[in-house]
Amino acid sequence: MSLKKRVRLTLLGTGPSQGVPAIGGSDGRGDWGSCDPSEPRNRRRRTSALLTCKGTRILIDAGPDCREQLLSAGASGLDGVVFTHAHADHVMGIDELRQVNRNIGQVLPAFGFPETLRELQGRFAYAFREATPGFFRPALESREVDPCETFVLGHLSLRACVQDHAVMRTMGLRCGNIAYCTDVVRMPPETLAALSGVATLVLGCFRLTSHPVHAGLREVLAWAEAIGPRRVVLTHMGSTMDWETLRRELPTGIEPGHDGMELDGEA
């Protein structure tokens, strides 16, 4: 009998720091860039994901759209949150975690590289203090993760992978045969080795052409060849990345993600 556990990764948001559409446009109703406004999968909240296994739920990043994302996913409770890095589009929903604290009745463990948690503790010091009765502010407990460390929460075991975002290092995650890697422009050799053989690989790809701090299609293709997944799903896509165009034109085995997309794997 197989001892493997089913894991589900839900993409809560697949958009860039300004989302799609961005504030603006000729009529003030949104700047869609080259994305077709009539295609619902082009509407992208800030990049985030939810990892679940046998009742254990871990949020990956808590950006400005966190409240709506958790409501859409029906995730009223969490067992922890992982912060891949401290950029605003990945952390500015920390206040929304107050209601999660209330729902679960306890402090929420927050995982991240040491420098990420130091940055969060400086900017959101109130969230890391002793919890108040009734949770009138978010209550997080810092859990530092070392590069290449495997950490366990409930039924989920996650391998932390170092990524180069040019301006800082970020954390990629592997859970069994599924991996989630956003906000990265270069992958160290040890990370490519740690991700080798995953079946499903979610990769940040802001645009198809090269970018100073985000992967383009050239990087995605190189990493896919080195890692060998059966399926590559793109996230953190900007307004030049029209969903239907990508679906038609991307190479076999690579596809655009969309908000609410569910990916299954085994741990």
Side-chain angles (χ1 to χ4, degrees):
M1 184 174 64
S2 175
L3 297 178
K4 291 182 178 180
K5 297 176 290 188
R6 183 185 179 195
V7 175
R8 171 163 289 175
L9 182 68
T10 303
L11 304 185
L12 302 179
T14 55
S17 58
Q18 68 272 35
V20 179
I23 296 171
S26 58
D27 59 359
R29 296 180 181 273
D31 182 354
W32 291 87
S34 54
C35 290
D36 179 1
S38 68
E39 169 53 69
R41 285 163 288 199
N42 279 329
R43 184 176 289 274
R44 300 175 182 133
R45 294 168 178 162
R46 267 57 74 94
T47 293
S48 176
L50 182 69
L51 192 60
T52 63
C53 179
K54 298 179 69 172
T56 300
R57 290 181 167 185
I58 295 180
L59 177 67
I60 305 174
D61 290 329
D65 302 312
C66 182
R67 174 179 170 274
E68 289 295 332
Q69 289 170 332
L70 292 178
L71 284 170
S72 295
S76 59
L78 298 170
D79 296 281
V81 56
V82 177
F83 291 100
T84 61
H85 62 301
H87 274 162
D89 54 320
H90 295 259
V91 306
M92 291 304 291
I94 277 182
D95 274 350
E96 306 297 350
L97 300 177
R98 172 181 62 169
Q99 188 59 43
V100 175
N101 291 130
R102 290 175 173 173
N103 293 341
I104 65 176
Q106 60 188 39
V107 174
L108 196 62
F111 298 85
F113 285 148
E115 69 272 20
T116 299
L117 294 176
R118 283 196 300 270
E119 178 73 15
L120 296 182
Q121 289 166 340
R123 289 158 61 186
F124 305 98
Y126 60 88
F128 291 88
R129 296 175 188 155
E130 186 176 351
T132 60
F135 296 103
F136 292 104
R137 49 179 166 75
L140 304 179
E141 180 183 274
S142 179
R143 302 276 186 92
E144 290 188 359
V145 177
D146 292 325
C148 303
E149 178 183 348
T150 296
F151 58 101
V152 178
L153 183 63
H155 294 284
L156 284 164
S157 177
L158 295 92
R159 168 76 180 267
C161 300
V162 174
Q163 303 175 152
D164 185 357
H165 192 21
V167 293
M168 63 176 66
R169 69 176 179 177
T170 60
M171 185 191 296
L173 294 165
R174 177 172 185 168
C175 184
N177 69 354
I178 195 165
Y180 181 85
C181 303
T182 188
D183 290 67
V184 53
V185 68
R186 284 177 291 272
M187 289 276 198
E190 61 270 24
T191 294
L192 292 173
L195 296 174
S196 179
V198 297
T200 301
L201 176 61
V202 178
L203 281 175
C205 186
F206 176 63
R207 65 190 190 193
L208 295 181
T209 56
S210 297
H211 186 274
V213 301
H214 289 283
L217 185 59
R218 181 176 64 180
E219 289 81 15
V220 166
L221 291 173
W223 298 335
E225 182 177 0
I227 296 168
R230 292 196 301 268
R231 186 181 189 188
V232 175
V233 179
L234 304 185
T235 190
H236 208 290
M237 295 175 288
S239 61
T240 63
M241 304 280 275
D242 177 69
W243 188 88
E244 177 59 28
T245 302
L246 292 172
R247 188 192 65 80
R248 289 196 314 265
E249 298 182 0
L250 283 173
T252 301
I254 301 178
E255 63 188 286
H258 60 83
D259 292 15
M261 189 177 195
E262 295 181 341
L263 304 167
D264 290 329
E266 292 183 335

